[in-house]
Amino acid sequence: MKILEKITLIIYSNIMLILSIILCLLVFGWLDMGLVGNITRDLITGETSSKVILGASVVFILLSIKCIFFDSTSREQIKERQGVLLENESGKLMISKETIENLVNSVALNFQSAEEVTTRVELDKENNVKVYINLIVSSDVIIKELSANLQNKIKEKIKMATDLEVKEVNITVKKVAPKQEA
């Protein structure tokens, strides 16, 4: 978040807090409605105070419109969400997260004991890959052996296909599928 947006959010939050407290005090009868009305009228009809309130209102209206209709996500953040951008002397290559996830799924589904696979990939700023896999495995599997083989195979395949370093391959076995009767 940019500094202007942070400052605006802090100011806006404080104004909303003050207004909410005043409204609560009015509802509970702890604050006189006439007093609030007189203060409000004096602020709006005063020459200097009315200009300050008008200026602040216009600024908040414009900032509200900006926040509602314009995304503050930077181009770098968008690229990070999309995938990895690799460059060399010949040009650029964008490898999407979806491509890496499909690669991981294909490796995992080559193991007979992996019945269902869902994958999530995270990339850091140095283009290191973290892979998160959820598995449903068959009932006759040795989970420790499967996970070790799967982690090694995924690291090898991603390195070979994309030349990216895989920092972690995190596997969660969600379920062991029941044996199917023949």
Side-chain angles (χ1 to χ4, degrees), residues 132-156:
Y132 298 89
I133 301 171
N134 293 316
L135 286 176
I136 296 178
V137 297
S138 60
S139 60
D140 60 343
V141 69
I142 301 170
I143 294 174
K144 187 175 180 180
E145 185 178 304
L146 171 68
S147 64
N149 291 336
L150 190 55
Q151 287 169 324
N152 291 332
K153 201 67 155 167
I154 288 170
K155 283 183 176 184
E156 288 171 14

Side-chain angles (χ1 to χ4, degrees), residues 9 21 51 81 85 100 117-118 122 134 141 154 165 168 179 181:
L9 183 61
I21 290 171
K51 290 178 183 176
R81 277 193 238 144
L85 181 63
I100 299 170
V117 180
T118 56
E122 289 182 3
N134 293 316
V141 69
I154 288 170
E165 290 296 323
E168 299 174 9
K179 277 190 176 180
E181 304 277 329

Side-chain angles (χ1 to χ4, degrees), residues 115-132:
E115 295 194 3
E116 286 184 38
V117 180
T118 56
T119 306
R120 182 173 51 92
V121 171
E122 289 182 3
L123 304 165
D124 64 15
K125 292 183 183 194
E126 290 82 37
N127 290 337
N128 294 312
V129 180
K130 290 183 183 179
V131 178
Y132 298 89

Side-chain angles (χ1 to χ4, degrees), residues 50-68:
S50 65
K51 290 178 183 176
V52 170
I53 290 173
L54 180 62
S57 298
V58 169
V59 168
F60 279 117
I61 289 169
L62 293 174
L63 288 172
S64 297
I65 290 170
K66 180 201 176 290
C67 291
I68 291 171

